Amino acid sequence: MSNMEHTRESWVDVLVIGAGPAGVMAANALARNGVKIRIIDQRPDKVAAGQADGIQPRTIEVFQSYGLADRLLKEGNQMHMAAFYNPGPDGGIQLSERAPDVTASSARFPFEITLHQGAIEAIFLDSMRSLNVEVERPVIPSSIEISADQAILNDPEAYAVKTVLKHVDNAAEEQTEVVHSKFVIGADGAHSWVRKSLDIPMEGEQTDYVWGVIDMVPDTDFPDIRKKSAIHSNNGSCMIIPREGDMIRLYIQLDDKNLMTNGRVDKSKIGPLQLLEVARKSFHPFYFGTPEKFDWFTIYIIGQRVASKFSVEDRVFIVGDACHTHSPKAGQGMNASMNDSHNLAWKLTHVLKGYAKPILLKTYEFERRKYAQDLINFDKQFARLFSGKPRTKPDEDGVSHEEFLQAFQTFGGFTSGIGIRYLESVITNTTHQSLASNLTIGQRILPQVFLRAADGRPYEIQDLLPADGRFKLLVFSGDTTQGGPLQNLMAFSTALKPVLSSLVSEEKIFDVFDILVISSATKTTVNHNRIPLFLRSHWSKVLIDDSDVQRKQGGGGYANYGIGEEGALVVIRPDGYVGTVTPLQKVEELEAYFSQFM
Amino acid sequence: MSNMEHTRESWVDVLVIGAGPAGVMAANALARNGVKIRIIDQRPDKVAAGQADGIQPRTIEVFQSYGLADRLLKEGNQMHMAAFYNPGPDGGIQLSERAPDVTASSARFPFEITLHQGAIEAIFLDSMRSLNVEVERPVIPSSIEISADQAILNDPEAYAVKTVLKHVDNAAEEQTEVVHSKFVIGADGAHSWVRKSLDIPMEGEQTDYVWGVIDMVPDTDFPDIRKKSAIHSNNGSCMIIPREGDMIRLYIQLDDKNLMTNGRVDKSKIGPLQLLEVARKSFHPFYFGTPEKFDWFTIYIIGQRVASKFSVEDRVFIVGDACHTHSPKAGQGMNASMNDSHNLAWKLTHVLKGYAKPILLKTYEFERRKYAQDLINFDKQFARLFSGKPRTKPDEDGVSHEEFLQAFQTFGGFTSGIGIRYLESVITNTTHQSLASNLTIGQRILPQVFLRAADGRPYEIQDLLPADGRFKLLVFSGDTTQGGPLQNLMAFSTALKPVLSSLVSEEKIFDVFDILVISSATKTTVNHNRIPLFLRSHWSKVLIDDSDVQRKQGGGGYANYGIGEEGALVVIRPDGYVGTVTPLQKVEELEAYFSQFM
């Protein structure tokens, strides 16, 4: 009577498997770009508490580029400061130092945000809902098959992947569906079914470090309970991560080998009260009461592994924890995962819309696997420092405060996500780096306030470069109130139009490219109407490098970017990273860049 | 068959008549404070286009204090710059100067926002909806009567006002309702039925200045079309107000006496095309095309009048255009109106909840009528300058650019709303002004960034003082890491509690007062747990006067406010204005302040 089977068939451009942070980031980005997608998850509901929770400065910028940072900033806790505790002379811990939590000086949002994973996912789910995309759940994939026909594989328009899904709903029926898609994104976590189905091995190993985690509203006289605090005591290490509301998370080092069963940690062997008991020993002499309840707890052993490849036939891609696992204390997990999807989504969009060649998709693994490996290497060093015994005398073994603090600061560019740099590829060309010497090609564009020429309103440039799937051409023109630069700009405009028309049909130019002119004229002299019409699709597209009328922000952008009065064309990729810089006088170099993949 | 009459009776604390900007501000503020209100309007729908549209810097701060600025900032156009044009040597106009639109240096939002009135009202309507308050419309009041019984008038709990309403809905029935309320707010516009019903005369006169207004998306090569531009030409004056989207508003001086019928302007005698034709003469030599459509247009004559009183028996109050009419070009109308309601709402709340004596209500007329008179005086000068002939040679009659610009800047504190200062009254006591010499008692609290002691997160102090109906006690304690100041703070805390308990019952202290301690300790030394428990109802209530870890904001607050290391207690009224400053050592002075009206 039950388990009546129905099979239906359907077609979609992209099927996203898994609705965790990586999955919803991918689905939302693709849907925003107008790609037909579906997203499924085997969990009946979204996460309610616990799990990953730290959002790094670069990830906040990425949220902002999707128009989603406001809610994150409003709902989340902001960590601005870190505190470091070490053993004091009387055996208990004492404060060694308070320092900025974020040391990357160019971070636009110079803090980390903590917010539980369910709330973060909800931001994307609401955004997706406004685009008429809902997560289908509970839905379990049961098989996946990529076409072996080379003709099909060569045609990005072909539905080359067949995935069989089981819809498991409350009704007694189980429905089977065969989904034909052009691409599949496996965002299904550390135990990824997609990865296993495609026989992609994980490389790397498991560590010996066992940690416990408890979430609670604390009852304590510890002065730095609302800062990110690293506690190195003679009775073990702890880390405090303050959370939204009055909650905190405590990471607690455990050295009990009895917590292991068959090489995996066994959560049944310890509870939150025992974890708190272990933490209390580290916190001595500070008081730490027993909270009314624990909102969540877990124990885990750190595994440091990267998948051997991130895609199969450039048709199925894995993102997020499916590709890499590492320790949570450096707060990288959710960030790495969402940025995988952010990197992949625009590339899939351009191939699906026929703007770019499939070769563009190769850069996903190239860029993100390199990053994942760097992340593991960083994590190894950081986990060793964090889990190591504190050293308080010069001749002892262990980790000194100075060593730990230095590592914390040295790795700041990495842990904040701000320093991530993609290496030379078809989309990253450093030939003319010297024309914008401080704007590192392969890194995200440096924050800088410019004024809109027409109304003098200051704008952070990042806010004019949203993640809308378009390449942004920033035309640094020099001072357009002067005859020379204005004539050069006119010549550039005349030369640019046929180049862009050769890459995409003329009526689609502004679907693929957005053009902004950044003049070094001043707010008192500029006339935006003088800029050639092709370069100002709207009056808001002309900017100037000047301070605002209150002299509080803006100005010095050419210098900050290392651009001279001769100007430059800066290409910003749809994900906000600098793709290349070319001279205004040589439009053919711009053509050469784009024609590698378009 | 039609017009069957039903009469019902109902009771409510406050009846708000009129759902324009003043009405929705009042209704939203009262509802947020938990007061039972109803709001009615005779229009069947909210305003769709045109009408008042400028939001001044102080009003943006007020929106922010209600948690409503985000949407205003997102949807509205921001005017950062002004441009001034005057006759050039060849007869046409030329640019004389570009300058900041807002000159009040302490403005937290140093620009004006333009957004059509319907969108502004929608912000409040949505906020009210979240508080389960909807505007009832179309509903027409037909009579209003204040009890003549002194015993009833003396009891703020008594339903002293009887208003008869007619509900006019689509059904053929017309329903009559008798509403008994404790208070009525008449927010029903320049032709206020409430004002007329209560025989409150308007004082002042009508000018000779006739102006036309057109809203459109312009087609022009005028370089400053996206700035607030004042055009003085030999062919008349114009003002450009850029609006949301691509729209602008044009104010056009008219000198045609033929536009008058029976002393009022007659809109049937001129249309938007003729208005544009007049404007074109001023704009010469710039091109001004005919737009596809005009979104709105009107003509008006400037009346400059103030109601002779703003309340009757302190039971019925009038707010907004019902109290004052003046020219729209200085952009004051909607701002004055909403700030009337902002001033009144907390006072009504405190009387209704039994916290304050009815004498508090007298301060509404005292403060806002004075302001309205100042506004008219300013408006007279500004309208004269704006409507006057331009003077280009020293020996000519008329208004020179320098004279106009100087007036524009001199009046900046007034037009921005930032400089508004309420004079000495039961709620404004300047005795100890010298303890906070730069924090003018009677003005709104100066913006300043402080850090939260517990987590080092920077906060604009205004954001910690929301319009939640509570008085805020800012305890500037000096450096609490030092023994002396800490002991003084403990003594203050011990003395404060019985004082507050004598004003309201002990369990209601934090319903009426919020207490914040602002220590001059640094982020590296402070321990918020040392602050006496009564002064920190939550860990977030302890602040420090230090720069943030990025050294980008914060610090110098004591100096900016003119507060010494001996500290001071600063009382901020629920509307964000400084009520008084008292010495920490003399809690009896604080008691004396509050007991005047509590």
Side-chain angles (χ1 to χ4, degrees), chain B residues 14 16 23-24 26-32 34-40 124-136:
Chain B
V14 181
V16 181
V24 294
N28 180 64
L30 289 165
R32 258 176 69 105
V35 172
K36 283 186 203 124
I37 64 136
R38 284 175 62 188
I39 175 168
I40 61 165
F124 287 96
L125 296 179
D126 287 346
S127 171
M128 284 156 59
R129 202 159 287 137
S130 73
L131 299 162
N132 294 314
V133 176
E134 293 273 354
V135 177
E136 302 167 44

PDB file of all heavy atoms in Angstrom, chain B residues 14 16 23-24 26-32 34-40 124-136:
ATOM      1  N   VAL B  14      -5.779  57.862  22.637  1.00  0.00           N
ATOM      2  CA  VAL B  14      -5.475  59.001  21.765  1.00  0.00           C
ATOM      3  C   VAL B  14      -6.082  58.757  20.390  1.00  0.00           C
ATOM      4  O   VAL B  14      -5.878  57.688  19.806  1.00  0.00           O
ATOM      5  CB  VAL B  14      -3.949  59.223  21.612  1.00  0.00           C
ATOM      6  CG1 VAL B  14      -3.672  60.435  20.726  1.00  0.00           C
ATOM      7  CG2 VAL B  14      -3.268  59.390  22.971  1.00  0.00           C
ATOM      8  N   VAL B  16      -5.874  60.143  16.630  1.00  0.00           N
ATOM      9  CA  VAL B  16      -5.085  60.982  15.728  1.00  0.00           C
ATOM     10  C   VAL B  16      -5.916  61.237  14.475  1.00  0.00           C
ATOM     11  O   VAL B  16      -6.360  60.287  13.822  1.00  0.00           O
ATOM     12  CB  VAL B  16      -3.747  60.306  15.346  1.00  0.00           C
ATOM     13  CG1 VAL B  16      -2.939  61.207  14.419  1.00  0.00           C
ATOM     14  CG2 VAL B  16      -2.945  59.953  16.590  1.00  0.00           C
ATOM     15  N   GLY B  23       0.763  63.078  11.233  1.00  0.00           N
ATOM     16  CA  GLY B  23      -0.135  62.104  11.854  1.00  0.00           C
ATOM     17  C   GLY B  23       0.498  60.743  12.020  1.00  0.00           C
ATOM     18  O   GLY B  23       0.408  60.131  13.090  1.00  0.00           O
ATOM     19  N   VAL B  24       1.157  60.249  10.974  1.00  0.00           N
ATOM     20  CA  VAL B  24       1.745  58.903  11.091  1.00  0.00           C
ATOM     21  C   VAL B  24       2.937  58.914  12.038  1.00  0.00           C
ATOM     22  O   VAL B  24       3.197  57.923  12.725  1.00  0.00           O
ATOM     23  CB  VAL B  24       2.120  58.312   9.709  1.00  0.00           C
ATOM     24  CG1 VAL B  24       0.859  58.062   8.886  1.00  0.00           C
ATOM     25  CG2 VAL B  24       3.110  59.186   8.947  1.00  0.00           C
ATOM     26  N   ALA B  26       3.147  60.730  14.757  1.00  0.00           N
ATOM     27  CA  ALA B  26       2.558  60.701  16.097  1.00  0.00           C
ATOM     28  C   ALA B  26       2.015  59.309  16.415  1.00  0.00           C
ATOM     29  O   ALA B  26       2.281  58.748  17.485  1.00  0.00           O
ATOM     30  CB  ALA B  26       1.437  61.740  16.201  1.00  0.00           C
ATOM     31  N   ALA B  27       1.271  58.742  15.479  1.00  0.00           N
ATOM     32  CA  ALA B  27       0.636  57.448  15.732  1.00  0.00           C
ATOM     33  C   ALA B  27       1.680  56.360  15.942  1.00  0.00           C
ATOM     34  O   ALA B  27       1.580  55.538  16.858  1.00  0.00           O
ATOM     35  CB  ALA B  27      -0.277  57.088  14.557  1.00  0.00           C
ATOM     36  N   ASN B  28       2.716  56.374  15.103  1.00  0.00           N
ATOM     37  CA  ASN B  28       3.754  55.347  15.222  1.00  0.00           C
ATOM     38  C   ASN B  28       4.500  55.467  16.547  1.00  0.00           C
ATOM     39  O   ASN B  28       4.760  54.473  17.228  1.00  0.00           O
ATOM     40  CB  ASN B  28       4.731  55.480  14.051  1.00  0.00           C
ATOM     41  CG  ASN B  28       5.836  54.444  14.108  1.00  0.00           C
ATOM     42  OD1 ASN B  28       5.582  53.247  14.013  1.00  0.00           O
ATOM     43  ND2 ASN B  28       7.069  54.898  14.300  1.00  0.00           N
ATOM     44  N   ALA B  29       4.841  56.714  16.920  1.00  0.00           N
ATOM     45  CA  ALA B  29       5.593  56.923  18.162  1.00  0.00           C
ATOM     46  C   ALA B  29       4.774  56.477  19.368  1.00  0.00           C
ATOM     47  O   ALA B  29       5.275  55.795  20.265  1.00  0.00           O
ATOM     48  CB  ALA B  29       5.986  58.396  18.293  1.00  0.00           C
ATOM     49  N   LEU B  30       3.504  56.843  19.399  1.00  0.00           N
ATOM     50  CA  LEU B  30       2.653  56.464  20.527  1.00  0.00           C
ATOM     51  C   LEU B  30       2.452  54.953  20.572  1.00  0.00           C
ATOM     52  O   LEU B  30       2.527  54.338  21.646  1.00  0.00           O
ATOM     53  CB  LEU B  30       1.295  57.180  20.419  1.00  0.00           C
ATOM     54  CG  LEU B  30       1.339  58.698  20.681  1.00  0.00           C
ATOM     55  CD1 LEU B  30       0.054  59.363  20.197  1.00  0.00           C
ATOM     56  CD2 LEU B  30       1.567  58.985  22.172  1.00  0.00           C
ATOM     57  N   ALA B  31       2.237  54.355  19.427  1.00  0.00           N
ATOM     58  CA  ALA B  31       2.022  52.904  19.396  1.00  0.00           C
ATOM     59  C   ALA B  31       3.268  52.156  19.862  1.00  0.00           C
ATOM     60  O   ALA B  31       3.184  51.185  20.609  1.00  0.00           O
ATOM     61  CB  ALA B  31       1.627  52.471  17.978  1.00  0.00           C
ATOM     62  N   ARG B  32       4.431  52.626  19.435  1.00  0.00           N
ATOM     63  CA  ARG B  32       5.699  52.022  19.892  1.00  0.00           C
ATOM     64  C   ARG B  32       5.831  52.075  21.409  1.00  0.00           C
ATOM     65  O   ARG B  32       6.409  51.196  22.033  1.00  0.00           O
ATOM     66  CB  ARG B  32       6.876  52.815  19.312  1.00  0.00           C
ATOM     67  CG  ARG B  32       7.560  52.183  18.139  1.00  0.00           C
ATOM     68  CD  ARG B  32       8.631  53.140  17.646  1.00  0.00           C
ATOM     69  NE  ARG B  32       9.731  53.275  18.595  1.00  0.00           N
ATOM     70  CZ  ARG B  32      10.924  52.727  18.447  1.00  0.00           C
ATOM     71  NH1 ARG B  32      11.178  51.979  17.390  1.00  0.00           N
ATOM     72  NH2 ARG B  32      11.882  52.911  19.330  1.00  0.00           N
ATOM     73  N   GLY B  34       3.475  51.875  23.424  1.00  0.00           N
ATOM     74  CA  GLY B  34       2.456  51.063  24.081  1.00  0.00           C
ATOM     75  C   GLY B  34       1.183  51.819  24.424  1.00  0.00           C
ATOM     76  O   GLY B  34       0.381  51.354  25.227  1.00  0.00           O
ATOM     77  N   VAL B  35       0.975  52.979  23.791  1.00  0.00           N
ATOM     78  CA  VAL B  35      -0.249  53.751  24.033  1.00  0.00           C
ATOM     79  C   VAL B  35      -1.337  53.258  23.067  1.00  0.00           C
ATOM     80  O   VAL B  35      -1.055  52.992  21.901  1.00  0.00           O
ATOM     81  CB  VAL B  35       0.013  55.260  23.818  1.00  0.00           C
ATOM     82  CG1 VAL B  35      -1.288  56.056  23.867  1.00  0.00           C
ATOM     83  CG2 VAL B  35       1.003  55.775  24.855  1.00  0.00           C
ATOM     84  N   LYS B  36      -2.551  53.159  23.580  1.00  0.00           N
ATOM     85  CA  LYS B  36      -3.664  52.733  22.717  1.00  0.00           C
ATOM     86  C   LYS B  36      -4.111  53.902  21.865  1.00  0.00           C
ATOM     87  O   LYS B  36      -4.560  54.932  22.370  1.00  0.00           O
ATOM     88  CB  LYS B  36      -4.842  52.258  23.574  1.00  0.00           C
ATOM     89  CG  LYS B  36      -4.632  50.868  24.138  1.00  0.00           C
ATOM     90  CD  LYS B  36      -5.876  50.385  24.861  1.00  0.00           C
ATOM     91  CE  LYS B  36      -5.499  49.316  25.870  1.00  0.00           C
ATOM     92  NZ  LYS B  36      -5.931  49.629  27.235  1.00  0.00           N
ATOM     93  N   ILE B  37      -4.002  53.759  20.564  1.00  0.00           N
ATOM     94  CA  ILE B  37      -4.325  54.864  19.657  1.00  0.00           C
ATOM     95  C   ILE B  37      -5.202  54.390  18.509  1.00  0.00           C
ATOM     96  O   ILE B  37      -5.277  53.191  18.220  1.00  0.00           O
ATOM     97  CB  ILE B  37      -3.060  55.490  19.033  1.00  0.00           C
ATOM     98  CG1 ILE B  37      -2.349  54.450  18.143  1.00  0.00           C
ATOM     99  CG2 ILE B  37      -2.134  56.048  20.068  1.00  0.00           C
ATOM    100  CD1 ILE B  37      -1.909  55.035  16.847  1.00  0.00           C
ATOM    101  N   ARG B  38      -5.847  55.358  17.873  1.00  0.00           N
ATOM    102  CA  ARG B  38      -6.459  55.128  16.559  1.00  0.00           C
ATOM    103  C   ARG B  38      -6.063  56.296  15.672  1.00  0.00           C
ATOM    104  O   ARG B  38      -5.842  57.405  16.147  1.00  0.00           O
ATOM    105  CB  ARG B  38      -7.977  55.025  16.660  1.00  0.00           C
ATOM    106  CG  ARG B  38      -8.423  53.676  17.223  1.00  0.00           C
ATOM    107  CD  ARG B  38      -9.906  53.640  17.440  1.00  0.00           C
ATOM    108  NE  ARG B  38     -10.640  53.819  16.192  1.00  0.00           N
ATOM    109  CZ  ARG B  38     -11.976  53.981  16.151  1.00  0.00           C
ATOM    110  NH1 ARG B  38     -12.679  53.999  17.269  1.00  0.00           N
ATOM    111  NH2 ARG B  38     -12.582  54.123  15.000  1.00  0.00           N
ATOM    112  N   ILE B  39      -5.969  56.038  14.390  1.00  0.00           N
ATOM    113  CA  ILE B  39      -5.644  57.103  13.442  1.00  0.00           C
ATOM    114  C   ILE B  39      -6.583  57.010  12.256  1.00  0.00           C
ATOM    115  O   ILE B  39      -6.794  55.927  11.717  1.00  0.00           O
ATOM    116  CB  ILE B  39      -4.150  57.064  13.019  1.00  0.00           C
ATOM    117  CG1 ILE B  39      -3.857  58.108  11.921  1.00  0.00           C
ATOM    118  CG2 ILE B  39      -3.702  55.673  12.596  1.00  0.00           C
ATOM    119  CD1 ILE B  39      -2.380  58.331  11.650  1.00  0.00           C
ATOM    120  N   ILE B  40      -7.172  58.161  11.920  1.00  0.00           N
ATOM    121  CA  ILE B  40      -8.141  58.189  10.813  1.00  0.00           C
ATOM    122  C   ILE B  40      -7.691  59.204   9.768  1.00  0.00           C
ATOM    123  O   ILE B  40      -6.897  60.106  10.045  1.00  0.00           O
ATOM    124  CB  ILE B  40      -9.552  58.598  11.302  1.00  0.00           C
ATOM    125  CG1 ILE B  40      -9.510  60.019  11.902  1.00  0.00           C
ATOM    126  CG2 ILE B  40     -10.082  57.598  12.329  1.00  0.00           C
ATOM    127  CD1 ILE B  40     -10.885  60.635  12.069  1.00  0.00           C
ATOM    128  N   PHE B 124       6.241  54.656   7.660  1.00  0.00           N
ATOM    129  CA  PHE B 124       5.526  54.665   8.942  1.00  0.00           C
ATOM    130  C   PHE B 124       4.363  53.675   8.938  1.00  0.00           C
ATOM    131  O   PHE B 124       4.104  53.006   9.942  1.00  0.00           O
ATOM    132  CB  PHE B 124       5.011  56.073   9.247  1.00  0.00           C
ATOM    133  CG  PHE B 124       6.103  57.023   9.647  1.00  0.00           C
ATOM    134  CD1 PHE B 124       6.691  57.865   8.723  1.00  0.00           C
ATOM    135  CD2 PHE B 124       6.566  57.057  10.955  1.00  0.00           C
ATOM    136  CE1 PHE B 124       7.706  58.730   9.082  1.00  0.00           C
ATOM    137  CE2 PHE B 124       7.580  57.927  11.324  1.00  0.00           C
ATOM    138  CZ  PHE B 124       8.163  58.761  10.386  1.00  0.00           C
ATOM    139  N   LEU B 125       3.661  53.602   7.818  1.00  0.00           N
ATOM    140  CA  LEU B 125       2.513  52.690   7.763  1.00  0.00           C
ATOM    141  C   LEU B 125       2.971  51.248   7.989  1.00  0.00           C
ATOM    142  O   LEU B 125       2.321  50.489   8.707  1.00  0.00           O
ATOM    143  CB  LEU B 125       1.793  52.829   6.409  1.00  0.00           C
ATOM    144  CG  LEU B 125       1.161  54.202   6.135  1.00  0.00           C
ATOM    145  CD1 LEU B 125       0.501  54.220   4.763  1.00  0.00           C
ATOM    146  CD2 LEU B 125       0.133  54.576   7.208  1.00  0.00           C
ATOM    147  N   ASP B 126       4.132  50.882   7.409  1.00  0.00           N
ATOM    148  CA  ASP B 126       4.636  49.522   7.614  1.00  0.00           C
ATOM    149  C   ASP B 126       5.076  49.307   9.055  1.00  0.00           C
ATOM    150  O   ASP B 126       4.863  48.238   9.628  1.00  0.00           O
ATOM    151  CB  ASP B 126       5.801  49.237   6.654  1.00  0.00           C
ATOM    152  CG  ASP B 126       5.326  49.062   5.225  1.00  0.00           C
ATOM    153  OD1 ASP B 126       4.103  48.902   5.015  1.00  0.00           O
ATOM    154  OD2 ASP B 126       6.165  49.082   4.307  1.00  0.00           O
ATOM    155  N   SER B 127       5.703  50.331   9.634  1.00  0.00           N
ATOM    156  CA  SER B 127       6.102  50.225  11.037  1.00  0.00           C
ATOM    157  C   SER B 127       4.878  50.083  11.932  1.00  0.00           C
ATOM    158  O   SER B 127       4.833  49.252  12.849  1.00  0.00           O
ATOM    159  CB  SER B 127       6.920  51.458  11.427  1.00  0.00           C
ATOM    160  OG  SER B 127       7.138  51.487  12.824  1.00  0.00           O
ATOM    161  N   MET B 128       3.841  50.892  11.650  1.00  0.00           N
ATOM    162  CA  MET B 128       2.607  50.818  12.437  1.00  0.00           C
ATOM    163  C   MET B 128       1.953  49.455  12.275  1.00  0.00           C
ATOM    164  O   MET B 128       1.418  48.901  13.240  1.00  0.00           O
ATOM    165  CB  MET B 128       1.639  51.924  11.993  1.00  0.00           C
ATOM    166  CG  MET B 128       2.020  53.307  12.515  1.00  0.00           C
ATOM    167  SD  MET B 128       1.358  54.672  11.507  1.00  0.00           S
ATOM    168  CE  MET B 128      -0.379  54.361  11.588  1.00  0.00           C
ATOM    169  N   ARG B 129       1.989  48.930  11.076  1.00  0.00           N
ATOM    170  CA  ARG B 129       1.382  47.620  10.819  1.00  0.00           C
ATOM    171  C   ARG B 129       2.028  46.558  11.706  1.00  0.00           C
ATOM    172  O   ARG B 129       1.353  45.682  12.229  1.00  0.00           O
ATOM    173  CB  ARG B 129       1.578  47.281   9.326  1.00  0.00           C
ATOM    174  CG  ARG B 129       0.603  46.268   8.788  1.00  0.00           C
ATOM    175  CD  ARG B 129       0.523  46.379   7.272  1.00  0.00           C
ATOM    176  NE  ARG B 129      -0.194  47.568   6.845  1.00  0.00           N
ATOM    177  CZ  ARG B 129       0.186  48.373   5.847  1.00  0.00           C
ATOM    178  NH1 ARG B 129       1.287  48.113   5.170  1.00  0.00           N
ATOM    179  NH2 ARG B 129      -0.533  49.435   5.539  1.00  0.00           N
ATOM    180  N   SER B 130       3.346  46.666  11.884  1.00  0.00           N
ATOM    181  CA  SER B 130       4.027  45.683  12.739  1.00  0.00           C
ATOM    182  C   SER B 130       3.600  45.851  14.197  1.00  0.00           C
ATOM    183  O   SER B 130       3.851  44.985  15.028  1.00  0.00           O
ATOM    184  CB  SER B 130       5.542  45.813  12.592  1.00  0.00           C
ATOM    185  OG  SER B 130       5.984  46.986  13.254  1.00  0.00           O
ATOM    186  N   LEU B 131       2.983  46.988  14.508  1.00  0.00           N
ATOM    187  CA  LEU B 131       2.452  47.230  15.854  1.00  0.00           C
ATOM    188  C   LEU B 131       0.924  47.082  15.872  1.00  0.00           C
ATOM    189  O   LEU B 131       0.259  47.496  16.821  1.00  0.00           O
ATOM    190  CB  LEU B 131       2.829  48.651  16.309  1.00  0.00           C
ATOM    191  CG  LEU B 131       4.330  48.954  16.408  1.00  0.00           C
ATOM    192  CD1 LEU B 131       4.586  50.459  16.416  1.00  0.00           C
ATOM    193  CD2 LEU B 131       4.924  48.315  17.652  1.00  0.00           C
ATOM    194  N   ASN B 132       0.386  46.496  14.800  1.00  0.00           N
ATOM    195  CA  ASN B 132      -1.057  46.254  14.685  1.00  0.00           C
ATOM    196  C   ASN B 132      -1.898  47.532  14.654  1.00  0.00           C
ATOM    197  O   ASN B 132      -3.011  47.550  15.183  1.00  0.00           O
ATOM    198  CB  ASN B 132      -1.549  45.330  15.806  1.00  0.00           C
ATOM    199  CG  ASN B 132      -0.947  43.948  15.661  1.00  0.00           C
ATOM    200  OD1 ASN B 132      -0.926  43.395  14.568  1.00  0.00           O
ATOM    201  ND2 ASN B 132      -0.417  43.414  16.746  1.00  0.00           N
ATOM    202  N   VAL B 133      -1.360  48.588  14.068  1.00  0.00           N
ATOM    203  CA  VAL B 133      -2.136  49.828  13.889  1.00  0.00           C
ATOM    204  C   VAL B 133      -2.295  50.087  12.393  1.00  0.00           C
ATOM    205  O   VAL B 133      -1.314  50.082  11.655  1.00  0.00           O
ATOM    206  CB  VAL B 133      -1.428  51.033  14.549  1.00  0.00           C
ATOM    207  CG1 VAL B 133      -2.192  52.320  14.261  1.00  0.00           C
ATOM    208  CG2 VAL B 133      -1.281  50.813  16.051  1.00  0.00           C
ATOM    209  N   GLU B 134      -3.535  50.272  11.973  1.00  0.00           N
ATOM    210  CA  GLU B 134      -3.801  50.603  10.569  1.00  0.00           C
ATOM    211  C   GLU B 134      -4.544  51.935  10.520  1.00  0.00           C
ATOM    212  O   GLU B 134      -5.344  52.238  11.409  1.00  0.00           O
ATOM    213  CB  GLU B 134      -4.708  49.539   9.921  1.00  0.00           C
ATOM    214  CG  GLU B 134      -4.091  48.174   9.759  1.00  0.00           C
ATOM    215  CD  GLU B 134      -3.310  48.015   8.451  1.00  0.00           C
ATOM    216  OE1 GLU B 134      -3.345  48.947   7.615  1.00  0.00           O
ATOM    217  OE2 GLU B 134      -2.668  46.963   8.293  1.00  0.00           O
ATOM    218  N   VAL B 135      -4.279  52.709   9.487  1.00  0.00           N
ATOM    219  CA  VAL B 135      -5.040  53.939   9.302  1.00  0.00           C
ATOM    220  C   VAL B 135      -6.455  53.565   8.857  1.00  0.00           C
ATOM    221  O   VAL B 135      -6.623  52.761   7.938  1.00  0.00           O
ATOM    222  CB  VAL B 135      -4.381  54.849   8.247  1.00  0.00           C
ATOM    223  CG1 VAL B 135      -5.234  56.092   8.011  1.00  0.00           C
ATOM    224  CG2 VAL B 135      -2.976  55.227   8.664  1.00  0.00           C
ATOM    225  N   GLU B 136      -7.452  54.137   9.524  1.00  0.00           N
ATOM    226  CA  GLU B 136      -8.843  53.913   9.117  1.00  0.00           C
ATOM    227  C   GLU B 136      -9.216  55.004   8.124  1.00  0.00           C
ATOM    228  O   GLU B 136      -9.138  56.187   8.446  1.00  0.00           O
ATOM    229  CB  GLU B 136      -9.759  53.956  10.343  1.00  0.00           C
ATOM    230  CG  GLU B 136      -9.385  52.923  11.401  1.00  0.00           C
ATOM    231  CD  GLU B 136     -10.089  53.187  12.731  1.00  0.00           C
ATOM    232  OE1 GLU B 136     -11.300  53.483  12.712  1.00  0.00           O
ATOM    233  OE2 GLU B 136      -9.420  53.115  13.778  1.00  0.00           O
TER     234      GLU B 136
END
